[in-house]
Amino acid sequence: MARRDLLLKSIRQEKIERYPVWLMRQAGRYMQAYRELREREKDFLSFCKNVDLAIKVSLLPLEILDVDAIIIFSDILVPLEAIGIKVKFIEDKGPVLEWDGNPESLKKFNAKETEFVYEIIKGVKREQDEVPVIGFAGAPYTLAAYAIEGHGSKNFRKAKTYMWEREEDFGSTMEIITETLKVYIENQIRAGADIIQVFDSWLDSLPVVDFESMVKPYLIELFSYLKKNYDTPLIYFFRGSSSFFDKLKGIPCDVLSVDWSVDMAEIMRRTGITLQGNFDPSLLYSKMEVIEKKVNDFLNSLPRKTGYIFNLGHGLAPDMSQEKVKFLVDTVKSFKL
Amino acid sequence: MARRDLLLKSIRQEKIERYPVWLMRQAGRYMQAYRELREREKDFLSFCKNVDLAIKVSLLPLEILDVDAIIIFSDILVPLEAIGIKVKFIEDKGPVLEWDGNPESLKKFNAKETEFVYEIIKGVKREQDEVPVIGFAGAPYTLAAYAIEGHGSKNFRKAKTYMWEREEDFGSTMEIITETLKVYIENQIRAGADIIQVFDSWLDSLPVVDFESMVKPYLIELFSYLKKNYDTPLIYFFRGSSSFFDKLKGIPCDVLSVDWSVDMAEIMRRTGITLQGNFDPSLLYSKMEVIEKKVNDFLNSLPRKTGYIFNLGHGLAPDMSQEKVKFLVDTVKSFKL
């Protein structure tokens, strides 16, 4: 079997010889080679928009870790900037967004303004055909929460207060973002993305009772549109997985990517959908022998010999050891099914 | 029906006229009267140990909010200090703990060293008999995680790495803390606490797969000991409620207090145990009309007319408005069953 097909076969739940593996934020600051390339642009968004650099960065994890998929190097805030929200990245603090909270002040998305993203996909496809290329976007709630709150947050209280007090404006914002994402993602597919992952990184800030009315309709709208028009497999990553897992019925995606709040073996037993993730990234701070034991115990516990993609429950952190990350990937790859 | 019995009746699932209400951290910095009393002691732990002040503080929410229970004013770190871990509170930063991580360096708990806690309970009982008095303690995992990490944390990676790498030491630490808690809590019961709440505030940092072997045995040990020897109702508060709710079978407690990651109406339908909490504290940042609507919608959705205690999914925050907190309590109290 060609390496190229491994991940896609696991998504389709066909027979595979080992679980495929890639890692969220696999091209990131924990990596020496990344830090060197990062120095070439002062500003983070300029770095994302420098197509040549972004292609090089995207390819690093294939070269260094030999993972089974490349996710393009970019940021989920790119399409928000394109609809008129000011985005700045503050060193060691993260993104700061400026928007007056008025949905009418948002401008219509013009796919050409994010041309550089599609160019990165084309470039990564051109440079290698060993592994599939994952395009991505933030999910409507995560992007709306970011735009309203103005920055990352533990509780997103400003975003939630907005949602509760200004239901109609919240709905309009979600709608505009959803329509933007349709076009943004389909352009990534047309550029050659083999898989799309949608990141609902802040979903865990939402009380579970608000999901059905405030968030789910937009996910259905987005995924249905993509499913109707394209064959590309769709992965939905959502934090707060134990809260929301059972609420996702009716969202037409192919893979659910979960955090460590669920028991993977248990959800595999009661659901047919392909799964991804779950491994606690904190384990990468442990000794190698602990990592090895935990990976093997985990993979041995899985009742399904396909229909799973190894990944973490969240992204790699800047203070992780590249050596251990590589060891993690190797350990997964040497686990035979 | 005497006001005094309302909360206990709801715990026993007897007929009640309205849901009882109290709030975690109901005596706290959001309250003007608290801030005034707080000024009388420089150091936070000295404030907790000043019996007269702590009694006054504990009583404030009855006087100002007219809640249906008083939780004594204290801190979950008190018993850790008593077993030899250095605890300091840094202004605007929270607690910092110092311990070498060696279980053998911990000293045997002497209940007399926390005499001031029992005196506070006696004092609050003496000052009023209108509502029941809740004594409390941190849960074994939350206290162990605090002691190992040295401070609060989003991921508790140091604590988890310790747990994974030094399983035996982690077990010894959990055992020592559990034995300490047995004595600490039973002394609170003997001093007159009508109810005990055990706070597993950091449980959400634990991957769900580690709960069964690393945490649950100590909860069973603690709660079984208390249940065998005392009639006092026991409340278990745990964050990450959607992850752990279904894993708690076999822990003999009377009430489960949950965060907003679960759907209260849904869990009420599938479980018989008395429940508490769930309301997202962020709602207190909303306008009063939103608070009122959300409380009424929530209470109307509950399929059970007893066996519930209104509370938040987590504690009140310093920047909340006392006026809105009072309005929240009044709204709950005016909801007739």
Side-chain angles (χ1 to χ4, degrees):
Chain A
M1 180 178 73
R3 162 84 171 291
R4 168 122 191 63
D5 300 326
L6 178 63
L7 202 143
L8 293 159
K9 282 196 167 191
S10 193
I11 291 179
R12 294 191 300 260
Q13 309 200 359
E14 295 169 13
K15 191 174 160 52
I16 50 174
E17 278 139 49
R18 61 172 182 82
Y19 293 118
V21 51
W22 70 278
L23 304 172
M24 288 186 273
R25 234 177 263 148
Q26 60 188 11
R29 275 194 282 161
Y30 77 94
M31 208 177 237
Q32 175 63 25
Y34 171 93
R35 292 193 299 269
E36 281 164 20
L37 291 172
R38 179 67 189 84
E39 274 171 25
R40 297 208 208 157
E41 287 279 359
K42 206 167 150 32
D43 173 63
F44 183 75
L45 271 182
S46 312
F47 186 53
C48 293
K49 289 175 188 174
N50 183 324
V51 174
D52 287 345
L53 275 182
I55 293 170
K56 279 198 181 72
V57 171
S58 306
L59 290 164
L60 289 178
L62 179 63
E63 294 156 15
I64 295 171
L65 305 175
D66 200 27
V67 285
D68 298 314
I70 290 172
I71 183 159
I72 57 153
F73 182 74
S74 191
D75 193 273
I76 60 167
L77 299 179
V78 161
L80 286 189
E81 195 191 33
I83 57 172
I85 293 171
K86 269 199 193 140
V87 181
K88 268 188 296 189
F89 282 81
I90 315 285
E91 193 77 24
D92 295 323
K93 211 194 138 206
V96 175
L97 294 85
E98 265 176 57
W99 173 45
D100 64 5
N102 181 3
E104 286 176 20
S105 77
L106 297 173
K107 63 174 193 169
K108 197 172 153 48
F109 179 63
N110 178 348
K112 284 206 179 121
E113 287 190 40
T114 51
E115 192 67 44
F116 63 94
V117 173
Y118 326 133
E119 289 305 320
I120 296 164
I121 293 174
K122 287 179 201 160
V124 174
K125 297 281 289 181
R126 196 167 54 229
E127 293 291 326
Q128 64 81 41
D129 66 353
E130 224 177 313
V131 298
V133 173
I134 305 173
F136 73 89
Y141 173 75
T142 288
L143 293 182
Y146 240 140
I148 298 164
E149 194 77 18
H151 48 77
S153 161
K154 213 169 67 174
N155 293 321
F156 281 91
R157 65 177 234 209
K158 194 176 155 192
K160 289 192 289 184
T161 304
Y162 180 106
M163 176 181 83
W164 291 319
E165 290 185 347
R166 298 171 62 177
E167 249 182 69
E168 209 172 304
D169 283 345
F170 183 79
S172 305
T173 305
M174 289 289 277
E175 207 176 300
I176 291 166
I177 292 175
T178 303
E179 292 306 310
T180 299
L181 289 171
K182 285 182 187 174
V183 183
Y184 182 60
I185 292 174
E186 75 181 348
N187 273 281
Q188 294 190 44
I189 294 173
R190 288 179 191 156
D194 301 296
I195 298 160
I196 293 292
Q197 176 154 325
V198 175
F199 286 83
D200 229 345
S201 312
W202 303 126
L203 190 63
D204 58 340
S205 65
L206 188 83
V208 66
V209 288
D210 289 309
F211 182 73
E212 206 73 37
S213 60
M214 302 306 232
V215 173
K216 191 173 176 182
Y218 305 95
L219 288 170
I220 291 178
E221 176 66 27
L222 175 63
F223 282 101
S224 303
Y225 174 82
L226 296 170
K227 260 289 149 251
K228 207 175 68 188
N229 295 290
Y230 305 94
D231 291 332
T232 314
L234 307 173
I235 305 176
Y236 177 54
F237 166 72
F238 59 112
R239 295 200 65 194
S241 304
S242 60
S243 293
F244 299 100
F245 195 88
D246 291 331
K247 310 274 177 192
L248 303 181
K249 277 175 199 103
I251 299 172
C253 64
D254 303 277
V255 182
L256 294 177
S257 189
V258 297
D259 62 25
W260 53 97
S261 69
V262 290
D263 180 336
M264 181 57 84
E266 189 263 317
I267 56 174
M268 268 190 187
R269 264 179 229 113
R270 64 182 175 81
T271 185
I273 196 165
T274 294
L275 295 156
Q276 176 179 272
N278 187 231
F279 203 73
D280 185 350
S282 293
L283 275 156
L284 280 161
Y285 298 110
S286 299
K287 290 183 214 162
M288 292 209 185
E289 66 224 56
V290 172
I291 296 173
E292 187 172 20
K293 184 182 181 310
K294 283 285 181 177
V295 168
N296 286 317
D297 286 355
F298 171 67
L299 295 178
N300 270 316
S301 79
L302 302 186
R304 192 195 280 175
K305 302 297 169 208
T306 182
Y308 175 68
I309 303 160
F310 187 92
N311 207 319
L312 304 172
H314 198 236
L316 290 166
D319 63 352
M320 285 172 175
S321 136
Q322 181 177 318
E323 199 191 349
K324 286 186 186 174
V325 174
K326 170 83 174 123
F327 179 76
L328 172 71
V329 170
D330 289 343
T331 306
V332 176
K333 286 168 68 180
S334 64
F335 184 90
K336 295 282 173 287
L337 290 170
Chain B
M1 180 177 74
R3 162 87 172 286
R4 168 124 191 61
D5 299 326
L6 177 64
L7 202 143
L8 292 159
K9 282 195 167 191
S10 193
I11 292 180
R12 294 192 300 261
Q13 309 198 357
E14 296 169 12
K15 190 172 162 52
I16 50 174
E17 277 139 51
R18 62 172 181 82
Y19 293 118
V21 50
W22 70 279
L23 304 172
M24 288 187 274
R25 232 176 264 152
Q26 61 189 12
R29 275 193 283 161
Y30 76 94
M31 208 176 238
Q32 175 64 23
Y34 172 93
R35 293 194 298 271
E36 281 164 21
L37 291 172
R38 177 69 189 82
E39 273 171 24
R40 299 209 205 157
E41 287 278 359
K42 205 168 154 31
D43 173 63
F44 183 75
L45 271 181
S46 311
F47 186 53
C48 293
K49 290 175 187 174
N50 183 324
V51 174
D52 287 345
L53 275 182
I55 293 170
K56 279 198 181 71
V57 171
S58 306
L59 291 165
L60 289 178
L62 179 63
E63 294 156 15
I64 296 171
L65 305 175
D66 200 27
V67 286
D68 297 314
I70 289 173
I71 184 161
I72 57 153
F73 182 74
S74 190
D75 193 88
I76 60 167
L77 298 178
V78 162
L80 287 188
E81 196 192 32
I83 58 172
I85 293 171
K86 268 196 193 144
V87 181
K88 267 188 297 191
F89 282 81
I90 316 283
E91 192 77 23
D92 294 324
K93 212 195 137 207
V96 175
L97 294 86
E98 265 176 59
W99 173 45
D100 64 6
N102 180 3
E104 286 176 20
S105 77
L106 297 173
K107 62 173 195 170
K108 196 171 155 44
F109 178 64
N110 179 346
K112 284 206 179 124
E113 286 189 39
T114 51
E115 192 67 44
F116 63 94
V117 173
Y118 325 134
E119 290 305 318
I120 296 165
I121 293 174
K122 287 180 203 160
V124 174
K125 296 281 290 182
R126 199 170 49 229
E127 293 292 324
Q128 64 81 41
D129 65 351
E130 222 178 314
V131 298
V133 173
I134 304 174
F136 73 91
Y141 173 75
T142 288
L143 292 182
Y146 239 141
I148 298 165
E149 195 77 19
H151 46 78
S153 161
K154 212 170 65 174
N155 294 319
F156 281 93
R157 65 177 234 210
K158 194 176 157 195
K160 289 192 288 184
T161 305
Y162 180 106
M163 177 181 82
W164 291 319
E165 291 186 347
R166 299 170 62 176
E167 247 182 70
E168 209 171 305
D169 283 345
F170 183 78
S172 305
T173 305
M174 289 289 278
E175 209 175 299
I176 291 166
I177 292 175
T178 303
E179 292 307 310
T180 299
L181 288 171
K182 285 182 188 174
V183 183
Y184 181 61
I185 293 173
E186 75 182 345
N187 272 280
Q188 293 189 44
I189 294 174
R190 287 180 192 155
D194 300 297
I195 297 160
I196 293 291
Q197 176 153 325
V198 174
F199 285 83
D200 230 345
S201 312
W202 303 124
L203 191 65
D204 58 341
S205 65
L206 188 84
V208 66
V209 287
D210 289 309
F211 182 73
E212 206 73 38
S213 59
M214 302 305 232
V215 173
K216 192 173 175 180
Y218 305 95
L219 288 170
I220 291 178
E221 177 65 28
L222 175 62
F223 282 100
S224 302
Y225 174 82
L226 296 170
K227 260 287 150 252
K228 207 176 68 188
N229 294 290
Y230 304 94
D231 291 332
T232 314
L234 307 172
I235 305 177
Y236 177 55
F237 166 72
F238 60 113
R239 294 201 65 193
S241 305
S242 60
S243 293
F244 298 101
F245 194 88
D246 291 331
K247 310 274 177 192
L248 302 182
K249 279 177 196 99
I251 300 172
C253 64
D254 303 278
V255 182
L256 293 177
S257 188
V258 298
D259 62 24
W260 53 97
S261 70
V262 290
D263 180 335
M264 182 56 84
E266 191 262 316
I267 56 173
M268 268 190 187
R269 263 178 230 113
R270 63 183 176 81
T271 185
I273 195 166
T274 294
L275 295 155
Q276 177 179 272
N278 187 231
F279 203 74
D280 185 349
S282 294
L283 275 156
L284 280 162
Y285 298 110
S286 298
K287 289 184 217 160
M288 292 210 186
E289 65 224 55
V290 172
I291 296 173
E292 186 172 22
K293 184 181 181 313
K294 283 285 181 176
V295 168
N296 285 317
D297 286 354
F298 172 67
L299 295 178
N300 270 316
S301 79
L302 302 186
R304 194 196 275 173
K305 301 297 166 209
T306 182
Y308 175 67
I309 303 160
F310 187 93
N311 207 320
L312 304 172
H314 197 356
L316 290 167
D319 63 353
M320 286 172 175
S321 132
Q322 179 176 320
E323 199 191 348
K324 286 186 185 174
V325 173
K326 169 83 175 126
F327 179 76
L328 172 71
V329 171
D330 289 343
T331 307
V332 175
K333 286 167 69 181
S334 64
F335 184 90
K336 295 283 173 286
L337 291 171

